[in-house]
Coordinates of all heavy atoms in Angstrom, one line a residue:
P20 N 17.8 -9.9 15.3 CA 19.0 -10.8 15.1 C 20.1 -10.6 16.2 O 20.7 -11.5 16.6 CB 19.5 -10.3 13.7 CG 18.3 -9.7 13.1 CD 17.5 -9.1 14.1
S31 N 21.9 -15.4 32.4 CA 21.0 -14.4 32.8 C 20.4 -13.6 31.6 O 19.2 -13.3 31.6 CB 21.6 -13.4 33.8 OG 22.7 -12.7 33.2
L102 N -3.8 -14.9 6.4 CA -4.8 -14.0 7.1 C -4.2 -12.6 7.3 O -4.9 -11.6 7.1 CB -5.2 -14.6 8.4 CG -5.8 -16.0 8.4 CD1 -6.3 -16.4 9.7 CD2 -7.0 -16.1 7.4
D145 N -16.7 -32.7 9.0 CA -17.2 -34.0 9.5 C -18.2 -33.9 10.5 O -19.1 -34.8 10.6 CB -15.9 -34.8 10.0 CG -15.0 -35.2 8.9 OD1 -15.4 -35.3 7.8 OD2 -13.8 -35.5 9.3
A284 N -12.5 -12.4 -10.3 CA -11.5 -13.2 -11.1 C -11.2 -12.4 -12.3 O -12.1 -11.9 -13.0 CB -12.0 -14.5 -11.4
G313 N -7.9 -3.6 -18.5 CA -8.0 -5.1 -18.4 C -6.8 -5.8 -18.0 O -6.8 -7.0 -17.9
L348 N 8.8 -4.5 -11.0 CA 9.7 -4.7 -9.9 C 10.5 -6.0 -10.1 O 11.2 -6.4 -9.2 CB 8.9 -4.8 -8.6 CG 8.1 -3.5 -8.2 CD1 7.3 -3.7 -7.0 CD2 9.1 -2.3 -8.1
V367 N 8.1 -12.8 19.4 CA 6.9 -13.5 19.8 C 7.0 -15.0 19.4 O 7.5 -15.3 18.3 CB 5.6 -12.9 19.1 CG1 4.4 -13.7 19.4 CG2 5.5 -11.5 19.5

Side-chain angles (χ1 to χ4, degrees):
S31 62
L102 301 184
D145 289 342
L348 299 177
V367 178

